[in-house]
Amino acid sequence: MKKEISAIDAKFEAQKIAFGPMYFQSVIALRDLGILEFINNHRKGVSISTIIEKLDVSEYGVDLLIEAAEILGVVECFDEGKVKITKVGFFLLKDEMTKVNVNFMNDVCYLGAKAMTDSIRNGKPEGLKVLGDWPTIYEGLSILPEPAKKSWFEFDHYYSDGAFPEALKIVFSKKTGTIFDIGGNTGKWSFACCGYDPDVKIKILDLPVQLKVAKQNATEKGLLGRIEFYPINLLDTEQKIPQGADVIWMSQFLDCFSKEEIVCILKNAYQAASEDTRVFILEPFFDNQNYPAAHFSLVATSLYFTIMANGNSKMYRIEVMKSLVNEAGFEVVETYPLIGDSYHTILECKKRV
């Protein structure tokens, strides 16, 4: 949006914010009642009376949601009583990024969002109470209620999996015997490594509750002989990352922590690393994106961290992360921007000598 706009336009933009939650839920209803899909299936347009007849939704309900959708540019009304989908509506239905984001906001974040002020005031994820009684969301990931659990993991994997093919080439460009997957979550990166190099050994380091899921997945894939599981709470400074890694890998991990915690974790990695250990940090830095939609989505993700995840972390600017790396004793020796078909940048780091 232009910085200089008229008072009339500014007032309109303010109303978009004021009524945003209502309009968001109107789109959810339009989708869940099958109305948006039905309209999409009639690309040249369909009468509102036909929608009412075929979907068994009241005239009142259809009219209400169509009117809201027209305001949002999701549908277009034309002739007399006819409606067709717009490009915006098509993206809401079919674009993977949009679907993942909508489900994540609706199923994970929406009910807790009202606790934003308290979360910032207290430095705690006060909105998390709507999902469960944990200090942070990470202790509860494996037991989140549905549909929040499904939507959380789809969101997390969407913003990481696209980077894996190119990331694997970078990591394995040099002989790599052992990789420490810090914050390995469900094990997807570790499994990708095992599929890429038949000789590599992996150690997944994460909270015990997360390792339970990763170990179950590794068992199903027949990879227990190549993957070890190391329970650790990296916020406990007494718990140390072991030595012996050729590569220390952190994928979408450090954004789960505050600046002070990131430095602490990196210092832990520093004591574990040798002069030859390569440390890779994969992150979607919000100021290093090709498209406004990605920038917009990543800044919104910071608000999720505030209200639902842990109350003190966020998505970072690339130079902020580099400064934290430097503060912990590492230096960034290579920057790989926007890896593959993804939103990510890889920072390759080594001990500063």
Side-chain angles (χ1 to χ4, degrees):
M1 189 173 66
K2 294 180 180 179
K3 291 183 180 179
E4 294 297 329
I5 61 174
S6 70
I8 291 175
D9 288 340
K11 190 170 184 176
F12 182 35
E13 294 299 326
Q15 305 325 301
K16 292 180 183 179
I17 296 171
F19 288 100
M22 286 295 190
Y23 277 106
F24 175 80
Q25 288 299 339
S26 74
V27 172
I28 296 297
L30 199 74
R31 180 197 67 179
D32 291 353
L33 290 170
I35 298 172
L36 194 58
E37 184 70 61
F38 188 82
I39 296 171
N40 182 61
N41 291 337
H42 296 78
R43 303 304 293 275
K44 293 184 179 180
V46 62
S47 68
I48 292 176
S49 60
T50 300
I51 297 172
I52 296 167
E53 176 188 351
K54 297 296 184 181
L55 296 184
D56 194 28
V57 180
S58 70
E59 179 181 355
Y60 166 79
V62 172
D63 283 345
L64 193 77
L65 296 177
I66 293 293
E67 288 163 2
E70 185 180 23
I71 287 286
L72 293 173
V74 172
V75 301
E76 177 186 346
C77 295
F78 65 103
D79 293 341
E80 287 192 11
K82 282 195 170 184
V83 61
K84 64 181 178 180
I85 200 164
T86 65
K87 288 181 180 179
V88 175
F90 179 82
F91 270 81
L92 283 165
L93 270 181
K94 303 300 181 181
D95 176 63
E96 192 63 24
M97 174 183 175
T98 307
K99 290 193 294 182
V100 163
N101 287 346
V102 166
N103 289 337
F104 183 72
M105 286 295 112
N106 191 52
D107 300 333
V108 178
C109 303
Y110 194 84
L111 292 179
K114 197 174 186 326
M116 179 75 70
T117 302
D118 288 341
S119 297
I120 291 175
R121 180 181 288 127
N122 302 331
K124 297 179 180 179
E126 300 292 1
L128 182 57
K129 297 182 181 71
V130 302
L131 296 180
D133 185 21
W134 311 288
T136 72
I137 200 169
Y138 308 111
E139 287 88 347
L141 283 180
S142 63
I143 51 174
L144 283 176
E146 294 292 3
K149 180 178 178 180
K150 180 175 184 290
S151 293
W152 192 96
F153 280 104
E154 286 180 349
F155 180 84
D156 182 67
H157 291 158
Y158 175 81
Y159 284 102
S160 61
D161 292 6
F164 284 1
E166 293 299 317
L168 288 166
K169 296 176 185 177
I170 292 169
V171 170
F172 288 97
S173 63
K174 296 180 182 178
K175 180 63 178 176
T176 302
T178 302
I179 296 176
F180 286 4
D181 185 1
I182 309 291
N185 208 333
T186 59
K188 291 197 78 171
W189 167 255
S190 294
F191 305 149
C193 289
C194 289
Y196 192 88
D197 185 324
D199 299 318
V200 71
K201 301 292 185 182
I202 309 286
K203 189 188 296 287
I204 301 178
L205 295 85
D206 211 330
L207 295 169
V209 67
Q210 286 304 106
L211 289 182
K212 183 178 179 181
V213 176
K215 189 171 185 177
Q216 179 180 339
N217 291 339
T219 301
E220 293 172 357
K221 294 178 180 296
L223 293 172
L224 288 182
R226 298 175 60 191
I227 299 178
E228 294 182 44
F229 303 89
Y230 191 92
I232 188 170
N233 179 0
L234 286 163
L235 293 180
D236 182 351
T237 56
E238 298 300 315
Q239 299 185 38
K240 300 300 182 184
I241 298 172
Q243 298 179 346
D246 296 306
V247 163
I248 293 177
W249 171 263
M250 288 177 274
S251 172
Q252 284 185 185
F253 176 67
L254 293 180
D255 57 44
C256 300
F257 302 94
S258 68
K259 292 179 183 178
E260 295 77 14
E261 290 168 343
I262 290 172
V263 172
C264 184
I265 291 168
L266 288 173
K267 285 182 176 179
N268 197 339
Y270 184 92
Q271 64 79 32
S274 71
E275 291 184 2
D276 296 323
T277 301
R278 294 179 295 151
V279 178
F280 291 97
I281 297 169
L282 176 77
E283 286 289 341
F285 300 111
F286 72 79
D287 63 334
N288 192 37
Q289 300 298 319
N290 284 332
Y291 301 104
H295 186 176
F296 184 91
S297 300
L298 290 169
V299 171
T301 302
S302 289
L303 303 177
Y304 144 76
F305 283 121
T306 303
I307 60 170
M308 303 301 296
N310 56 18
N312 66 358
S313 66
K314 65 190 294 292
M315 309 307 293
Y316 290 95
R317 298 179 188 272
I318 188 169
E319 291 304 323
V320 170
M321 186 62 71
K322 286 182 177 180
S323 71
L324 299 176
V325 167
N326 184 68
E327 185 178 343
F330 290 103
E331 62 176 328
V332 177
V333 296
E334 191 70 56
T335 299
Y336 304 91
L338 295 178
I339 299 302
D341 184 21
S342 77
Y343 311 90
H344 296 78
T345 297
I346 288 181
L347 302 180
E348 181 179 351
C349 313
K350 297 195 78 171
K351 270 189 167 182
R352 191 168 57 246
V353 294

